Amino acid sequence: MFDTVAMSRLTVAAPVDRMADVLRTCTNLGCIHIESYTNFEDGVHVGQAMGGEEADKVSSLLAKVRAAVSAFKPVNTDGPVPVARVRELLDGAFADELQKGLTLLDTQRDAEAELATLDEQIHLLQRLLPLNMDLELLAGSGRVEVYVSETKKASKASSVFGSLLSKVEMASAPGIVAVACLPSEGAEVQMALGELGGKPVQIPDMTGTPSEALKGLMAQRKEVEGTMYSASEDASRWARNNGRNILAIHEYLSKEEEINTAPTQLAVTGQAFALDAWVPTSKENDVRAALNDMVSHIEIAPFVDDHHHHHDDGHDDHHHEPTPPVALENNVVSRPFELMVGLVGRPSYGTFDPTFFLMMTFPMIYGLILGDFGYGFIIYLLALWLGTKPFAADPVAKNGVTILKWMGVWCMIWGFLFAEGFGFVWDDTGQMGSSSPLAGIYAWTYSNITFPAFMTDTLNMSYMHIPFHRATSSLGEYVLLSVYIGVAHLMFGFILGFINVARAHGIVAAFFEKGSWMIILASGTIHIYLFLTDASVDVFTATPYAIATLVGVGLLIIGLAVFEKFGWVGGLIMGPIETFGLLANTLSYLRVMGVGVAGVKIAEVSISMGWDLMWSGSGVVAIVLGFVLFVFIQAFALALGLLSPSIHAARLHFVEWMGKFYDGSGRVFTPIGGRTLHTEGQS
């Protein structure tokens, strides 16, 4: 759960005539990530994709299925289809049924294109309608040129043309001017129309007056529109009836296509081939049992990273061997948060997988920022509603909905501790006073749930009751809580980083690269704490913790210079600068307090401007206006509460926290055949 999945290197050699069977077996195992062959040597080359009638059939049908998936965007809410049923469909009339769906789609698209053309022609005729002249006359002839222009100055056409009117024939109507002239007057006519600001109008190739042509086009449009709607409804019905099968067949054929093209990743000679791949170490026995009887050589060796350790001479010994791809292994509860890990790339192999920790801290910090049980409840209901939609069947969407549920739950938890709901304070100190329905509950929690004195004294937090009024009497404690969470969060990140470096480069490198930061963070925090709580201590007092902080900076300089290859000059320059960067990282957690209090105040505006106006007794208008203001500002506060705390909580994790230990350069583990979602296995 906390580490990436351990990988082993798989090497297989077999006669060429067994290549198809070996690749199909690897696909069925679903756990073999093939490395593409790149070390070209004499007599060794990459293989060619499998040919033949069956392969061509798969490729051709897959192209059509992909077009259908792209166009119809089908969903599968009924679970995977048995592979026997998939084969039955492929052996039956599926190709004809697929063509029927694509034909409906083509009919719909053709109708849409024809409608667009008709609409352009109708719009053009509507512009010519005021002239009420035969379209053949407006089109002109070899001897007479006709210019038709739209202009807002049509009423001034006579004065602009002036003496030219005696040489031309002009007709005008509001917004449009038509002029017929001999070719010799064409230039002057165009200049006059330009002076009117005219825009040329293209004359359609039709007969009769614009009104007659328009009548015919409108009838034609109605017919085409009916065809389009009918095809659209039939296509939607076809997608609903066949969507599940389409997705299952798409998955099945994609795997078949991958098997057919997999030889292009293998090393091949005239008689044999070699497959280089990665498998999870836990699957070694399954892979051996499946492949042993069909290959002439098989070797599975656990990966050991012995090529990147620091040496005494200060140089790294780098061999350009591929590192294993990274697979994550989380339980059903934490797995949805792999979606967030993927936003910053896969962790490098052999390091910590932060998925479980993200599950614990991201929604918790989000809830700490928003902290309103009313909004949290709505967010949770929103997640439940989204989970009922067809798109929620997609694994990515499903994970996103699950994360949203966690955010709503933590928001409700913190909202209860803060006694905040929809901007109201629900204990007897709030807007409702002792008439609040929760006043009795909070009176009991205030009297019976308090943090131990040693904790409050140690943390210098004088108010530690429930409810915790973060925006009023407990604002100072809210500030301290934000900083304490930041220090703890960053320290945990450095601990993970320490373990990662120790695994890769040894304990000494870990001490200087990450241990120095841990010393700076811990001793610096305590020194600042003493400065704030003890009048005899100022910033430059040589307390043991201040001295320890300077020692940490010295260790950091050594770590940067020696182990991270900055050199001594670079280490001396960057060490103090990076130390101030750590201070900025820590203070960045104050955004928890800042954004949280801002959200509280926005919600309070809905009460002062809307709720209070509703109950002011100033009449019906005041009630309606107050209700509208209350609902509008509440909706704005909720929308902002979904967006802003999410962004800030994500930043605190992706930038401040994960920057202390995370390297997102890992390659995604992609076994041949991929992950089965819509078919029940594949042989």
Side-chain angles (χ1 to χ4, degrees), residues 493-503 507 510-511 514-515 518:
F494 282 128
I495 291 172
L496 296 180
F498 184 95
I499 298 173
N500 281 342
V501 177
R503 287 175 174 178
I507 194 70
F511 174 74
K514 298 299 179 182
M518 296 164 65

Side-chain angles (χ1 to χ4, degrees), residues 663-674:
D663 177 7
S665 61
R667 296 185 296 147
V668 178
F669 178 69
T670 53
I672 181 173

